[in-house]
Amino acid sequence: MENPRGFFHVLRMGQRALSFQRCLFFCGKGGKVDVMDCFAMKDGKCSILSGGKCGGETCHFHKTREEQAQSLEKVSERLRSLPEYQQEAIADKYYGGVKKW
């Protein structure tokens, strides 16, 4: 196998062929992953999973950057809706006493 990262590579016996999108994700261009649009991808590695290897769109943590921004906005909205004493308790416990919402 001269070019193991190329699109057309030999599959071992019993190995399933990957879809075009997944093959582009795993094979990449020049060894870099640039197809996956996930908020956790930094420098071609997953910043959430300890191994750093992304599972693609089958990953339970997969979200686009836009979906992540919407999720964080919903969290902030929920925190703002709580009574003041609860907001202060959460800020003290998790944010060093600073309300970041």
Side-chain angles (χ1 to χ4, degrees):
M1 258 176 23
E2 280 182 29
N3 186 4
R5 296 186 97 46
F7 180 73
F8 297 105
H9 59 276
V10 178
L11 297 173
R12 293 181 294 220
M13 289 297 289
Q15 194 177 23
R16 293 189 334 232
L18 298 172
S19 69
F20 180 73
Q21 183 178 6
R22 286 193 62 190
C23 189
L24 279 177
F25 168 71
F26 288 111
C27 298
K29 293 180 181 177
K32 289 194 171 185
V33 176
D34 59 357
V35 174
M36 182 55 60
D37 179 30
C38 182
F39 78 100
M41 291 298 286
K42 292 181 178 47
D43 298 326
K45 292 184 179 181
C46 180
S47 62
I48 293 179
L49 299 175
S50 61
K53 188 173 183 180
C54 181
E57 292 187 11
T58 60
C59 177
H60 296 289
F61 296 105
H62 177 264
K63 291 184 196 175
T64 63
R65 285 168 171 53
E66 183 178 298
E67 290 170 334
Q68 177 66 0
Q70 290 172 351
S71 179
L72 291 175
E73 181 54 39
K74 283 177 74 174
V75 168
S76 294
E77 188 177 308
R78 170 71 175 122
L79 288 170
R80 285 189 298 267
S81 73
L82 294 173
E84 191 64 32
Y85 73 92
Q86 285 182 328
Q87 289 186 42
E88 289 175 13
I90 292 169
D92 288 341
K93 186 170 185 175
Y94 297 106
Y95 298 100
V98 178
K99 291 188 210 174
K100 295 187 177 187
W101 54 90

